[in-house]
Amino acid sequence: MSVILKNCLLIEGLSNILIEEGKIVDIKPSEQSETFGTVNETIDIKGNLVIPGVIDAHVHVRDLQQAYKEDWETASMAALAGGVTTIFDMPNTLPATINLKNLNIKRKAAEMSLVNYKFFIGATNSNQKDIEEILDKNAPDIAGIKVFLAGSVSNETVTDEDILKQVFELAKQYDKVVVIHTELQELLDKWQQRLPYNNILKHNAIRNRQCAIKGTELVLRLSEVIGNKIYIAHVSTFEEIELIKKYKCNNQVFCEVTPHHLLLNESILEKVGNIGKVNPPLRSEKDNAALWQAINNGIADTIGTDHAPHTIEEKQQEYEKAPSGFPGLETCLLLLLNEVNEGNLKLEKLIELTSNNPAKIFQLEKRGEIKVGNFADLSVIDLNKKWKINASAFRSKAKYSPFDGIEVKGKVMMTFVDGKILDVSKEVIYGTI
Ligand code: DOR
Ligand code: ZN
Protein backbone atom coordinates (compact mmCIF):
# COMPACT_ATOMS: atom_id res chain seq x y z
CA MET A 1 0.00 0.00 0.00
CA SER A 2 1.49 3.35 -1.06
CA VAL A 3 0.10 6.82 -0.43
CA ILE A 4 1.26 10.27 -1.45
CA LEU A 5 0.52 13.21 0.81
CA LYS A 6 0.86 16.09 -1.58
CA ASN A 7 1.35 19.78 -0.75
CA CYS A 8 2.48 19.29 2.85
CA LEU A 9 3.99 22.43 4.33
CA LEU A 10 7.11 21.20 6.12
CA ILE A 11 9.71 23.40 7.82
CA GLU A 12 11.77 22.86 4.64
CA GLY A 13 8.95 24.08 2.36
CA LEU A 14 6.04 22.69 0.34
CA SER A 15 6.69 18.97 -0.09
CA ASN A 16 5.15 15.68 -1.14
CA ILE A 17 5.58 12.69 1.15
CA LEU A 18 5.53 9.15 -0.19
CA ILE A 19 4.40 6.54 2.37
CA GLU A 20 4.71 2.78 1.91
CA GLU A 21 3.68 0.18 4.48
CA GLY A 22 3.34 2.86 7.15
CA LYS A 23 6.81 4.33 6.65
CA ILE A 24 8.04 7.46 4.90
CA VAL A 25 10.01 6.29 1.87
CA ASP A 26 10.55 9.59 0.06
CA ILE A 27 10.12 13.33 0.50
CA LYS A 28 10.35 15.69 -2.48
CA PRO A 29 9.62 19.35 -3.14
CA SER A 30 5.99 19.53 -4.37
CA GLU A 31 6.86 20.55 -7.91
CA GLN A 32 8.71 17.22 -8.41
CA SER A 33 5.72 15.05 -7.41
CA GLU A 34 5.40 13.17 -10.69
CA THR A 35 8.77 11.47 -10.06
CA PHE A 36 7.14 9.23 -7.42
CA GLY A 37 5.50 6.99 -10.07
CA THR A 38 2.16 5.26 -9.53
CA VAL A 39 0.62 4.98 -6.06
CA ASN A 40 -2.57 3.54 -4.57
CA GLU A 41 -3.83 6.82 -3.14
CA THR A 42 -3.09 10.54 -3.19
CA ILE A 43 -4.26 12.83 -0.41
CA ASP A 44 -4.05 16.59 -0.97
CA ILE A 45 -2.94 18.30 2.24
CA LYS A 46 -3.57 21.65 0.52
CA GLY A 47 -0.57 23.52 1.90
CA ASN A 48 -1.41 22.83 5.53
CA LEU A 49 1.44 22.48 7.99
CA VAL A 50 2.59 18.91 8.66
CA ILE A 51 4.54 18.20 11.85
CA PRO A 52 5.66 14.94 13.48
CA GLY A 53 2.86 13.49 15.63
CA VAL A 54 3.08 14.52 19.26
CA ILE A 55 4.75 11.98 21.59
CA ASP A 56 3.20 12.50 24.99
CA ALA A 57 5.32 10.91 27.70
CA HIS A 58 2.83 11.67 30.47
CA VAL A 59 -0.67 10.22 30.16
CA HIS A 60 -2.96 8.61 32.74
CA VAL A 61 -5.09 6.38 30.52
CA ARG A 62 -6.86 4.70 33.54
CA ASP A 63 -9.09 1.89 32.14
CA LEU A 64 -9.28 -1.45 34.10
CA GLN A 65 -11.12 -0.73 37.35
CA GLN A 66 -11.25 2.98 36.51
CA ALA A 67 -12.64 2.67 33.01
CA TYR A 68 -15.49 4.92 34.16
CA LYS A 69 -12.93 7.78 34.17
CA GLU A 70 -11.27 6.90 30.83
CA ASP A 71 -10.32 3.83 28.81
CA TRP A 72 -7.83 3.05 26.05
CA GLU A 73 -10.37 3.75 23.33
CA THR A 74 -11.45 7.17 24.62
CA ALA A 75 -7.93 8.20 25.64
CA SER A 76 -6.53 7.29 22.23
CA MET A 77 -9.42 9.04 20.46
CA ALA A 78 -8.61 12.13 22.54
CA ALA A 79 -4.97 11.72 21.51
CA LEU A 80 -5.89 11.60 17.81
CA ALA A 81 -8.10 14.67 18.13
CA GLY A 82 -5.15 16.47 19.73
CA GLY A 83 -2.55 15.46 17.12
CA VAL A 84 -0.90 12.99 19.52
CA THR A 85 0.35 9.74 17.95
CA THR A 86 2.21 8.08 20.86
CA ILE A 87 1.26 7.99 24.54
CA PHE A 88 3.14 6.66 27.56
CA ASP A 89 0.80 5.41 30.24
CA MET A 90 1.44 6.03 33.94
CA PRO A 91 1.34 3.15 36.44
CA ASN A 92 -1.07 4.55 39.06
CA THR A 93 -3.95 2.52 37.70
CA LEU A 94 -6.16 0.00 39.49
CA PRO A 95 -4.55 -2.49 39.60
CA ALA A 96 -1.23 -0.62 39.67
CA THR A 97 1.47 -1.43 37.08
CA ILE A 98 3.97 -2.60 39.69
CA ASN A 99 4.45 -6.26 38.73
CA LEU A 100 4.34 -8.52 35.68
CA LYS A 101 0.88 -9.86 36.42
CA ASN A 102 -0.69 -6.40 36.49
CA LEU A 103 1.37 -5.26 33.51
CA ASN A 104 -0.02 -8.16 31.50
CA ILE A 105 -3.58 -7.16 32.46
CA LYS A 106 -2.82 -3.65 31.20
CA ARG A 107 -1.19 -4.97 28.03
CA LYS A 108 -4.44 -6.72 27.15
CA ALA A 109 -6.55 -3.59 27.73
CA ALA A 110 -4.15 -1.45 25.69
CA GLU A 111 -4.79 -3.52 22.56
CA MET A 112 -7.80 -1.19 22.05
CA SER A 113 -5.48 1.76 21.52
CA LEU A 114 -5.67 3.66 18.23
CA VAL A 115 -2.27 5.28 18.81
CA ASN A 116 1.20 3.96 19.63
CA TYR A 117 1.84 3.40 23.31
CA LYS A 118 4.29 2.33 25.97
CA PHE A 119 3.98 1.76 29.72
CA PHE A 120 5.82 2.94 32.80
CA ILE A 121 6.43 0.45 35.59
CA GLY A 122 5.71 1.98 38.98
CA ALA A 123 8.32 1.67 41.72
CA THR A 124 7.26 0.95 45.31
CA ASN A 125 9.21 0.50 48.54
CA SER A 126 9.32 -3.24 47.88
CA ASN A 127 9.01 -4.18 44.18
CA GLN A 128 12.59 -4.10 42.85
CA LYS A 129 12.39 -7.82 42.10
CA ASP A 130 9.22 -7.24 40.07
CA ILE A 131 10.88 -4.43 38.11
CA GLU A 132 13.83 -6.70 37.39
CA GLU A 133 11.58 -9.52 36.29
CA ILE A 134 9.90 -7.21 33.74
CA LEU A 135 13.10 -5.59 32.47
CA ASP A 136 14.95 -8.91 32.29
CA LYS A 137 12.63 -9.88 29.46
CA ASN A 138 13.92 -6.91 27.42
CA ALA A 139 10.34 -5.57 27.24
CA PRO A 140 10.22 -3.11 24.33
CA ASP A 141 6.86 -1.73 25.48
CA ILE A 142 8.34 -0.37 28.72
CA ALA A 143 9.14 3.35 28.46
CA GLY A 144 10.84 3.51 31.84
CA ILE A 145 10.26 3.46 35.59
CA LYS A 146 7.96 5.93 37.36
CA VAL A 147 8.63 7.03 40.91
CA PHE A 148 6.22 9.09 43.00
CA LEU A 149 7.96 10.53 46.06
CA ALA A 150 4.55 11.46 47.51
CA GLY A 151 0.94 10.35 47.39
CA SER A 152 -0.97 12.16 44.67
CA VAL A 153 -3.84 10.19 43.10
CA SER A 154 -4.08 6.49 44.04
CA ASN A 155 -0.36 5.95 43.52
CA GLU A 156 2.31 3.85 45.22
CA THR A 157 5.24 5.84 46.63
CA VAL A 158 8.93 5.41 47.25
CA THR A 159 9.64 7.11 50.57
CA ASP A 160 12.91 5.40 51.52
CA GLU A 161 16.09 7.00 50.16
CA ASP A 162 17.97 3.68 50.05
CA ILE A 163 15.21 2.15 47.95
CA LEU A 164 15.27 5.17 45.66
CA LYS A 165 18.99 4.58 45.13
CA GLN A 166 18.35 0.93 44.35
CA VAL A 167 15.72 1.89 41.79
CA PHE A 168 18.21 4.31 40.20
CA GLU A 169 20.82 1.52 40.10
CA LEU A 170 18.32 -0.79 38.41
CA ALA A 171 17.45 1.89 35.86
CA LYS A 172 21.12 2.37 35.09
CA GLN A 173 21.68 -1.35 34.72
CA TYR A 174 18.84 -1.70 32.19
CA ASP A 175 19.40 1.73 30.57
CA LYS A 176 15.89 2.95 31.40
CA VAL A 177 14.85 6.49 32.29
CA VAL A 178 13.35 7.10 35.75
CA VAL A 179 10.45 9.55 35.56
CA ILE A 180 9.90 11.25 38.88
CA HIS A 181 7.04 13.08 40.54
CA THR A 182 9.29 14.92 42.97
CA GLU A 183 6.92 16.29 45.62
CA LEU A 184 8.25 14.85 48.92
CA GLN A 185 5.77 13.12 51.24
CA GLU A 186 7.56 14.03 54.42
CA LEU A 187 7.41 17.75 53.66
CA LEU A 188 3.87 17.49 52.36
CA ASP A 189 2.76 16.11 55.73
CA LYS A 190 4.50 18.98 57.53
CA TRP A 191 2.92 21.67 55.36
CA GLN A 192 -0.50 20.07 55.65
CA GLN A 193 -0.26 20.25 59.43
CA ARG A 194 1.03 23.80 59.33
CA LEU A 195 -1.69 25.03 56.99
CA PRO A 196 -4.90 23.22 57.88
CA TYR A 197 -6.99 25.02 55.23
CA ASN A 198 -9.50 23.19 53.14
CA ASN A 199 -9.77 25.49 50.20
CA ILE A 200 -8.71 25.13 46.56
CA LEU A 201 -7.39 28.71 46.68
CA LYS A 202 -4.79 27.45 49.17
CA HIS A 203 -3.79 24.33 47.20
CA ASN A 204 -0.49 25.94 46.17
CA ALA A 205 0.28 26.88 49.78
CA ILE A 206 -0.71 23.51 51.22
CA ARG A 207 1.10 21.39 48.64
CA ASN A 208 3.86 23.85 49.15
CA ARG A 209 6.48 24.55 46.46
CA GLN A 210 9.16 23.47 48.96
CA CYS A 211 7.87 19.87 48.66
CA ALA A 212 8.68 19.86 44.94
CA ILE A 213 11.91 21.86 45.25
CA LYS A 214 13.41 19.62 47.94
CA GLY A 215 12.39 16.45 46.10
CA THR A 216 13.91 17.71 42.86
CA GLU A 217 17.11 18.58 44.71
CA LEU A 218 17.23 15.08 46.21
CA VAL A 219 16.83 13.21 42.92
CA LEU A 220 19.32 15.45 41.12
CA ARG A 221 21.89 14.77 43.83
CA LEU A 222 21.33 11.00 43.98
CA SER A 223 21.22 10.47 40.25
CA GLU A 224 24.46 12.39 39.79
CA VAL A 225 26.21 10.01 42.18
CA ILE A 226 24.67 6.89 40.62
CA GLY A 227 24.93 8.09 37.04
CA ASN A 228 21.44 7.12 35.85
CA LYS A 229 19.05 9.04 33.64
CA ILE A 230 16.22 10.95 35.33
CA TYR A 231 13.27 12.79 33.83
CA ILE A 232 11.69 15.26 36.21
CA ALA A 233 7.98 15.33 35.46
CA HIS A 234 5.87 18.50 35.49
CA VAL A 235 8.44 20.99 36.79
CA SER A 236 6.43 23.83 38.29
CA THR A 237 8.73 26.27 40.11
CA PHE A 238 11.53 28.65 39.19
CA GLU A 239 13.69 27.20 41.97
CA GLU A 240 13.56 23.74 40.38
CA ILE A 241 14.61 25.23 37.04
CA GLU A 242 17.63 26.83 38.72
CA LEU A 243 18.56 23.49 40.32
CA ILE A 244 18.14 21.55 37.08
CA LYS A 245 20.30 24.10 35.28
CA LYS A 246 23.15 23.28 37.69
CA TYR A 247 22.94 19.53 37.16
CA LYS A 248 22.08 19.42 33.49
CA CYS A 249 25.49 19.01 31.94
CA ASN A 250 25.85 15.25 31.46
CA ASN A 251 22.86 14.40 29.23
CA GLN A 252 21.33 12.42 32.08
CA VAL A 253 18.89 14.96 33.46
CA PHE A 254 15.74 15.67 31.50
CA CYS A 255 12.87 17.90 32.39
CA GLU A 256 9.22 18.11 31.41
CA VAL A 257 6.86 21.07 31.54
CA THR A 258 3.07 20.83 31.21
CA PRO A 259 0.91 23.29 29.27
CA HIS A 260 -0.98 24.14 32.47
CA HIS A 261 2.11 25.02 34.52
CA LEU A 262 3.32 27.10 31.58
CA LEU A 263 0.11 28.94 30.76
CA LEU A 264 -1.92 29.02 33.99
CA ASN A 265 -1.26 30.06 37.56
CA GLU A 266 -3.22 29.93 40.79
CA SER A 267 -5.10 33.12 39.95
CA ILE A 268 -7.38 31.04 37.69
CA LEU A 269 -8.64 28.94 40.63
CA GLU A 270 -11.09 31.66 41.63
CA LYS A 271 -12.84 31.00 38.30
CA VAL A 272 -12.42 27.24 37.79
CA GLY A 273 -12.33 25.91 41.37
CA ASN A 274 -11.44 22.22 41.78
CA ILE A 275 -11.34 21.74 37.99
CA GLY A 276 -7.93 23.39 38.31
CA LYS A 277 -6.84 21.17 41.21
CA VAL A 278 -3.69 19.39 40.06
CA ASN A 279 -0.47 18.05 41.57
CA PRO A 280 1.93 19.75 41.60
CA PRO A 281 -0.37 22.76 41.98
CA LEU A 282 -0.68 25.72 39.65
CA ARG A 283 1.88 28.21 40.92
CA SER A 284 2.57 31.92 40.23
CA GLU A 285 3.17 34.22 37.29
CA LYS A 286 6.86 34.32 38.19
CA ASP A 287 6.96 30.53 37.79
CA ASN A 288 5.21 30.75 34.41
CA ALA A 289 7.92 33.15 33.25
CA ALA A 290 10.70 30.85 34.48
CA LEU A 291 9.19 27.87 32.65
CA TRP A 292 9.01 29.91 29.44
CA GLN A 293 12.63 30.82 29.87
CA ALA A 294 13.49 27.15 30.46
CA ILE A 295 11.81 26.33 27.17
CA ASN A 296 13.70 28.97 25.29
CA ASN A 297 17.12 28.21 26.79
CA GLY A 298 16.97 24.43 26.44
CA ILE A 299 16.54 23.51 30.12
CA ALA A 300 13.06 22.12 29.46
CA ASP A 301 13.28 19.10 27.14
CA THR A 302 9.67 18.13 26.62
CA ILE A 303 6.06 19.16 27.01
CA GLY A 304 3.90 16.42 28.52
CA THR A 305 0.17 16.81 29.06
CA ASP A 306 -0.25 14.93 32.36
CA HIS A 307 -3.66 13.97 30.93
CA ALA A 308 -5.39 12.94 34.19
CA PRO A 309 -9.12 12.34 33.67
CA HIS A 310 -11.62 12.01 36.54
CA THR A 311 -15.40 12.19 36.42
CA ILE A 312 -16.96 15.63 36.72
CA GLU A 313 -18.86 14.39 39.79
CA GLU A 314 -15.56 13.53 41.47
CA LYS A 315 -14.11 16.93 40.59
CA GLN A 316 -17.20 18.72 41.93
CA GLN A 317 -16.77 17.32 45.43
CA GLU A 318 -15.41 19.54 48.19
CA TYR A 319 -11.73 20.52 47.99
CA GLU A 320 -10.25 17.72 50.09
CA LYS A 321 -12.16 14.96 48.34
CA ALA A 322 -11.86 16.20 44.75
CA PRO A 323 -9.07 14.29 42.95
CA SER A 324 -6.23 16.21 41.31
CA GLY A 325 -5.80 16.35 37.54
CA PHE A 326 -7.76 17.13 34.39
CA PRO A 327 -7.64 16.02 30.73
CA GLY A 328 -4.94 17.52 28.51
CA LEU A 329 -4.59 15.47 25.33
CA GLU A 330 -7.08 17.55 23.35
CA THR A 331 -5.83 20.97 24.37
CA CYS A 332 -2.01 20.70 24.44
CA LEU A 333 -1.14 21.16 20.78
CA LEU A 334 -3.85 23.78 20.20
CA LEU A 335 -2.53 25.88 23.08
CA LEU A 336 1.04 25.56 21.82
CA LEU A 337 0.09 26.40 18.23
CA ASN A 338 -1.62 29.48 19.59
CA GLU A 339 1.64 30.44 21.30
CA VAL A 340 3.41 29.99 17.94
CA ASN A 341 0.87 32.36 16.38
CA GLU A 342 1.34 34.82 19.25
CA GLY A 343 5.10 34.84 18.59
CA ASN A 344 5.98 33.31 21.98
CA LEU A 345 7.18 29.94 20.68
CA LYS A 346 9.09 29.02 17.54
CA LEU A 347 7.52 26.23 15.49
CA GLU A 348 10.87 24.41 15.44
CA LYS A 349 10.94 24.55 19.25
CA LEU A 350 7.41 23.19 19.48
CA ILE A 351 8.42 20.21 17.31
CA GLU A 352 11.55 19.64 19.38
CA LEU A 353 9.61 19.62 22.67
CA THR A 354 6.63 17.56 21.57
CA SER A 355 8.26 14.96 19.32
CA ASN A 356 12.03 15.10 18.59
CA ASN A 357 13.09 15.15 22.24
CA PRO A 358 10.66 12.60 23.75
CA ALA A 359 11.65 10.16 20.98
CA LYS A 360 15.35 10.66 21.75
CA ILE A 361 15.07 10.57 25.54
CA PHE A 362 12.96 7.40 25.58
CA GLN A 363 14.80 5.81 22.64
CA LEU A 364 11.81 5.40 20.33
CA GLU A 365 13.03 3.93 17.10
CA LYS A 366 12.00 5.55 13.83
CA ARG A 367 9.61 8.05 15.39
CA GLY A 368 9.70 11.70 16.42
CA GLU A 369 10.89 13.17 13.13
CA ILE A 370 9.60 13.49 9.59
CA LYS A 371 12.35 11.76 7.66
CA VAL A 372 12.84 8.93 5.20
CA GLY A 373 12.80 5.57 7.00
CA ASN A 374 10.64 6.76 9.91
CA PHE A 375 7.05 5.71 10.58
CA ALA A 376 4.54 8.16 9.14
CA ASP A 377 3.22 9.56 12.44
CA LEU A 378 2.02 12.99 11.39
CA SER A 379 -0.22 15.83 12.51
CA VAL A 380 -1.77 18.06 9.87
CA ILE A 381 -2.31 21.57 11.18
CA ASP A 382 -4.22 24.60 9.94
CA LEU A 383 -2.18 27.33 11.61
CA ASN A 384 -4.69 30.03 10.68
CA LYS A 385 -7.88 28.45 11.92
CA LYS A 386 -9.42 30.15 14.95
CA TRP A 387 -11.10 27.96 17.55
CA LYS A 388 -12.72 28.16 20.91
CA ILE A 389 -11.80 25.24 23.17
CA ASN A 390 -15.06 23.47 23.96
CA ALA A 391 -14.54 20.83 26.64
CA SER A 392 -18.08 19.50 26.36
CA ALA A 393 -17.13 18.12 22.92
CA PHE A 394 -13.93 16.34 24.05
CA ARG A 395 -13.40 12.71 23.00
CA SER A 396 -12.09 12.06 26.51
CA LYS A 397 -14.69 10.91 29.03
CA ALA A 398 -13.60 13.91 31.12
CA LYS A 399 -15.43 16.77 29.44
CA TYR A 400 -14.07 19.73 31.38
CA SER A 401 -10.87 21.76 31.39
CA PRO A 402 -9.41 24.84 33.04
CA PHE A 403 -8.80 25.97 29.42
CA ASP A 404 -12.48 25.64 28.47
CA GLY A 405 -13.73 28.62 26.46
CA ILE A 406 -10.24 29.91 25.60
CA GLU A 407 -9.86 31.14 22.03
CA VAL A 408 -6.88 29.81 20.10
CA LYS A 409 -5.48 30.15 16.59
CA GLY A 410 -4.28 26.84 15.11
CA LYS A 411 -6.11 23.53 14.78
CA VAL A 412 -5.38 19.86 14.22
CA MET A 413 -7.01 18.78 10.94
CA MET A 414 -5.84 15.18 10.58
CA THR A 415 -3.68 12.72 12.46
CA PHE A 416 -1.76 9.88 10.80
CA VAL A 417 -0.48 6.93 12.82
CA ASP A 418 1.85 4.58 10.90
CA GLY A 419 0.65 6.23 7.69
CA LYS A 420 -3.06 5.67 8.29
CA ILE A 421 -5.47 8.55 8.79
CA LEU A 422 -7.16 7.54 11.98
CA ASP A 423 -9.09 10.65 12.70
CA VAL A 424 -10.09 13.80 10.93
CA SER A 425 -11.08 16.11 13.73
CA LYS A 426 -14.50 17.44 12.95
CA GLU A 427 -15.35 21.09 13.45
CA VAL A 428 -17.88 20.14 16.08
CA ILE A 429 -15.11 18.97 18.39
CA TYR A 430 -13.85 22.39 19.26
CA GLY A 431 -16.53 24.71 17.91
CA THR A 432 -15.74 27.74 15.79
CA ILE A 433 -15.44 31.27 17.08
O1 DOR B 1 -2.82 15.98 39.35
C1 DOR B 1 -2.40 14.84 39.26
N1 DOR B 1 -3.17 13.83 38.81
N2 DOR B 1 -1.15 14.60 39.63
C2 DOR B 1 -0.69 13.34 39.75
O2 DOR B 1 0.41 13.18 40.20
C3 DOR B 1 -1.53 12.18 39.42
C4 DOR B 1 -2.63 12.55 38.51
C5 DOR B 1 -3.72 11.51 38.43
O3 DOR B 1 -3.40 10.32 38.28
O4 DOR B 1 -4.89 11.88 38.49
ZN1 ZN C 1 0.83 12.51 36.13
Side-chain angles (χ1 to χ4, degrees):
M1 177 73 188
S2 55
V3 183
I4 289 182
L5 307 186
K6 69 173 196 186
N7 303 319
C8 303
L9 184 58
L10 303 182
I11 297 280
E12 299 78 15
L14 208 57
S15 310
N16 291 359
I17 301 176
L18 178 62
I19 299 170
E20 275 173 17
E21 309 306 331
K23 290 213 179 105
I24 299 170
V25 293
D26 207 350
I27 303 173
K28 283 203 166 78
S30 282
E31 60 272 16
Q32 295 175 19
S33 63
E34 59 290 347
T35 56
F36 280 152
T38 48
V39 289
N40 299 100
E41 197 184 347
T42 300
I43 301 171
D44 193 352
I45 301 295
K46 299 181 182 154
N48 279 307
L49 178 70
V50 179
I51 62 171
V54 172
I55 298 169
D56 186 355
H58 198 147
V59 177
H60 298 267
V61 172
R62 316 281 191 217
D63 208 318
L64 312 174
Q65 289 165 44
Q66 291 179 320
Y68 62 93
K69 294 185 194 237
E70 191 82 293
D71 59 38
W72 278 92
E73 193 177 350
T74 52
S76 58
M77 286 292 281
L80 290 170
V84 178
T85 52
T86 299
I87 56 179
F88 293 176
D89 182 46
M90 287 296 166
N92 58 327
T93 43
L94 281 178
T97 320
I98 53 173
N99 56 41
L100 185 59
K101 177 172 162 256
N102 292 355
L103 172 66
N104 284 337
I105 295 171
K106 180 173 279 189
R107 280 175 167 151
K108 197 91 205 114
E111 286 170 10
M112 289 302 290
S113 180
L114 300 163
V115 297
N116 308 306
Y117 57 86
K118 284 188 189 283
F119 311 109
F120 285 110
I121 321 169
T124 76
N125 278 334
S126 58
N127 77 336
Q128 293 106 300
K129 284 266 163 299
D130 296 288
I131 297 176
E132 269 189 282
E133 188 186 4
I134 293 167
L135 296 181
D136 256 344
K137 294 194 165 63
N138 186 28
D141 58 356
I142 301 302
I145 302 170
K146 173 78 185 267
V147 170
F148 287 88
L149 297 182
S152 180
V153 177
S154 38
N155 59 277
E156 299 276 348
T157 52
V158 175
T159 48
D160 181 318
E161 206 172 299
D162 283 334
I163 306 257
L164 186 58
K165 285 189 206 155
Q166 288 168 29
V167 172
F168 283 8
E169 295 280 7
L170 264 182
K172 185 179 172 190
Q173 185 188 333
Y174 289 97
D175 192 23
K176 291 286 177 191
V177 179
V178 187
V179 173
I180 310 157
H181 182 128
T182 61
E183 288 176 295
L184 268 183
Q185 189 63 48
E186 202 187 319
L187 283 184
L188 216 57
D189 294 340
K190 281 199 189 136
W191 280 96
Q192 257 155 3
Q193 277 165 11
R194 209 180 294 179
L195 299 171
Y197 302 116
N198 52 356
N199 181 343
I200 181 64
L201 301 181
K202 299 283 180 204
H203 191 56
N204 178 28
I206 301 166
R207 265 189 105 97
N208 196 278
R209 59 196 297 116
Q210 289 306 327
C211 308
I213 297 164
K214 294 292 177 220
T216 293
E217 196 170 16
L218 172 71
V219 297
L220 286 168
R221 192 164 41 77
L222 293 184
S223 70
E224 187 179 49
V225 175
I226 292 169
N228 64 302
K229 290 182 191 161
I230 58 167
Y231 175 100
I232 302 175
H234 40 45
V235 173
S236 62
T237 65
F238 70 83
E239 293 95 332
E240 288 170 279
I241 296 293
E242 288 308 311
L243 283 166
I244 292 165
K245 212 182 272 176
K246 277 197 214 146
Y247 282 84
K248 199 179 170 68
C249 51
N250 51 11
N251 206 28
Q252 290 186 0
V253 172
F254 304 103
C255 128
E256 170 196 85
V257 170
T258 68
H260 46 278
H261 290 113
L262 198 57
L263 298 169
L264 302 177
N265 52 61
E266 61 176 342
S267 67
I268 199 169
L269 296 173
E270 198 82 69
K271 179 175 153 214
V272 302
N274 287 338
I275 295 291
K277 185 179 177 190
V278 65
N279 300 334
L282 300 178
R283 307 288 191 190
S284 69
E285 239 175 87
K286 184 173 175 187
D287 295 303
N288 297 146
L291 297 181
W292 271 114
Q293 213 178 22
I295 283 197
N296 289 320
N297 66 15
I299 298 297
D301 298 284
T302 69
I303 296 203
T305 65
D306 200 0
H307 179 83
H310 300 284
T311 68
I312 186 68
E313 292 78 16
E314 289 169 325
K315 290 293 276 182
Q316 281 167 343
Q317 296 172 101
E318 61 198 68
Y319 166 70
E320 278 161 328
K321 285 197 187 138
S324 293
F326 42 77
L329 282 166
E330 285 164 271
T331 48
C332 177
L333 191 51
L334 298 191
L335 293 164
L336 297 178
L337 292 169
N338 190 55
E339 294 301 318
V340 170
N341 271 314
E342 297 270 315
N344 299 329
L345 180 65
K346 288 216 166 65
L347 184 59
E348 290 86 346
K349 192 62 169 175
L350 180 154
I351 293 171
E352 204 182 298
L353 292 160
T354 57
S355 51
N356 303 162
N357 286 351
K360 274 187 214 149
I361 295 167
F362 294 98
Q363 303 178 26
L364 294 190
E365 272 179 42
K366 300 190 190 321
R367 302 199 192 270
E369 241 182 297
I370 301 179
K371 68 173 193 193
V372 170
N374 272 15
F375 290 100
D377 289 348
L378 307 167
S379 300
V380 178
I381 307 293
D382 183 342
L383 248 189
N384 295 312
K385 194 116 184 159
K386 288 187 175 169
W387 289 97
K388 188 181 264 186
I389 290 177
N390 174 9
S392 70
F394 280 173
R395 305 279 175 99
S396 168
K397 290 186 188 179
K399 298 186 193 303
Y400 56 82
S401 166
F403 294 107
D404 195 22
I406 287 182
E407 292 178 4
V408 292
K409 191 171 169 192
K411 183 181 181 289
V412 180
M413 305 303 287
M414 290 182 211
T415 306
F416 290 81
V417 177
D418 291 354
K420 292 185 224 59
I421 310 184
L422 286 177
D423 182 67
V424 177
S425 305
K426 298 182 194 84
E427 297 217 333
V428 71
I429 294 182
Y430 300 110
T432 40
I433 292 176

